[in-house]
Amino acid sequence: MKRIVPVLVVLLCGLVTAPALAGRKKTDEKIAALEARVEKLEKALAELQASLEGRMAELEKKLAAQPARPAASGKAPAAGVRNQEAATKLKQAREALGRDDLARARELLQELRRNYADTPAGRRAISLLAQVNVVGKQAPAIAPKVVRWFRGQDRFHPEKAKATIVVFWEVWCPHCRREVPKLQALYDRYHDRGLEIIGLTRLTHGKTPADVEAFLDQQHVTYPVAQEKGELASFFAVRGIPAAAVIRDGKVVWRNHPARITDEMVESWLR
């Protein structure tokens, strides 16, 4: 009898714990499935946003290309005409930025903010003007704002660099992911000549340090990458990602999309 009692106790414990373990497993599986669905939705939303932005840019170009219709004498321009005028000025401002003519770009963007703030192009101009106004400012120290390093903490020395490219990105963003190999190629070509690059993420949309590490490993990224809380993104007027800025001699000399960076531009920054 003494031998039977322990056996019964073990059997009873198994009967009690087995359902609990099975229930826990089902819960974990449900959580994993939900997380997978959330990640899928995040990617879909990012792709949809990119598609809509591209479509909006196409429509703005078409609108700017349409010949303007004169407003009736003594009357304010119709909404369609105002939208067209604003789209044309925004296009001119973007072209000025492409030529690095900041003075002309700022003049056009300020006019859009002042006279066309109620139009789609005017609203986009306000955001673009904030980016332009960063140029010329004294850049903040980056390292003190970092809360976690993923790469290159011991190799990040912007004070010794001729130019530093600061890139704001997130691992869930398809456009950001597409720019990473290009940035790595720039780093490989120009780092020995004085170019520094740092990628900054805030780990949004529920992404984890492990997600970032896995992506960086997959892409063989060697330039410094770190996490910040948003202070740097705020200073550099980051409204969308990816976004980039260039620092020379402690001041911001360029602010735009990283895809616009060319070898010729880098060469000029390293002179």
Side-chain angles (χ1 to χ4, degrees):
M1 179 62 112
K2 291 181 179 179
R3 294 181 180 178
I4 294 173
V5 170
V7 174
L8 291 173
V9 170
V10 171
L11 290 172
L12 287 171
C13 288
L15 290 172
V16 171
T17 57
L21 291 173
R24 186 181 304 167
K25 182 179 180 181
K26 288 183 179 179
T27 300
D28 291 343
E29 290 175 349
K30 288 181 179 179
I31 291 174
L34 287 172
E35 288 177 342
R37 288 181 62 189
V38 169
E39 183 173 359
K40 186 176 180 180
L41 287 171
E42 287 175 345
K43 289 181 179 179
L45 285 172
E47 292 173 357
L48 178 60
Q49 180 182 357
S51 175
L52 290 174
E53 288 178 350
R55 181 61 178 156
M56 186 177 294
E58 290 177 4
L59 291 173
E60 286 177 350
K61 288 180 181 179
K62 289 182 180 179
L63 186 60
Q66 294 295 320
R69 290 179 298 179
S73 177
K75 295 182 180 180
V81 175
R82 280 178 51 76
N83 287 342
Q84 182 177 313
E85 291 173 349
T88 300
K89 291 182 182 296
L90 181 60
K91 180 184 177 183
Q92 293 171 348
R94 291 186 187 278
E95 291 172 348
L97 285 175
R99 301 190 304 270
D100 281 336
D101 187 353
L102 293 181
R104 178 56 176 162
R106 186 177 284 112
E107 177 186 346
L108 287 164
L109 293 172
Q110 287 174 341
E111 182 183 354
L112 282 163
R113 182 181 63 178
R114 184 172 58 252
N115 299 328
Y116 298 89
D118 59 331
T119 67
R123 288 189 286 271
R124 296 191 74 180
I126 292 172
S127 176
L128 196 56
L129 181 61
Q131 297 180 26
V132 172
N133 286 338
V134 172
V135 177
K137 288 186 177 181
Q138 190 74 26
I142 293 174
K145 306 294 185 183
V146 168
V147 296
R148 178 186 285 105
W149 286 92
F150 296 103
R151 292 282 191 283
Q153 179 178 5
D154 57 338
R155 291 182 282 105
F156 182 62
H157 302 293
E159 71 282 357
K160 298 179 181 179
K162 292 182 180 179
T164 300
I165 300 176
V166 185
V167 182
F168 296 88
W169 74 292
E170 296 296 337
V171 72
W172 54 263
C173 167
H175 298 284
C176 302
R177 295 165 72 96
R178 188 164 57 237
E179 293 302 318
V180 167
K182 300 176 186 177
L183 293 167
Q184 181 62 52
L186 284 177
Y187 188 76
D188 292 339
R189 284 198 298 274
Y190 296 105
H191 180 61
D192 290 342
R193 292 178 53 189
L195 178 68
E196 188 63 270
I197 296 178
I198 183 169
L200 295 173
T201 173
R202 289 187 291 157
L203 289 182
T204 57
H205 288 204
K207 294 304 176 183
T208 67
D211 294 325
V212 175
E213 289 284 6
F215 176 74
L216 297 177
D217 288 341
Q218 180 188 37
Q219 296 295 322
H220 307 292
V221 173
T222 60
Y223 62 81
V225 178
Q227 178 189 356
E228 64 114 1
K229 290 184 177 179
E231 293 179 65
L232 292 170
S234 178
F235 174 85
F236 286 99
V238 175
R239 302 290 186 270
I241 53 174
V246 175
I247 301 171
R248 287 188 68 197
D249 299 323
K251 288 189 176 182
V252 182
V253 298
W254 186 86
R255 168 72 175 84
N256 214 308
H257 193 289
R260 294 182 177 273
I261 298 175
T262 64
D263 286 304
E264 290 77 15
M265 294 167 69
V266 176
E267 291 282 355
S268 70
W269 297 329
L270 296 181
R271 287 173 191 154

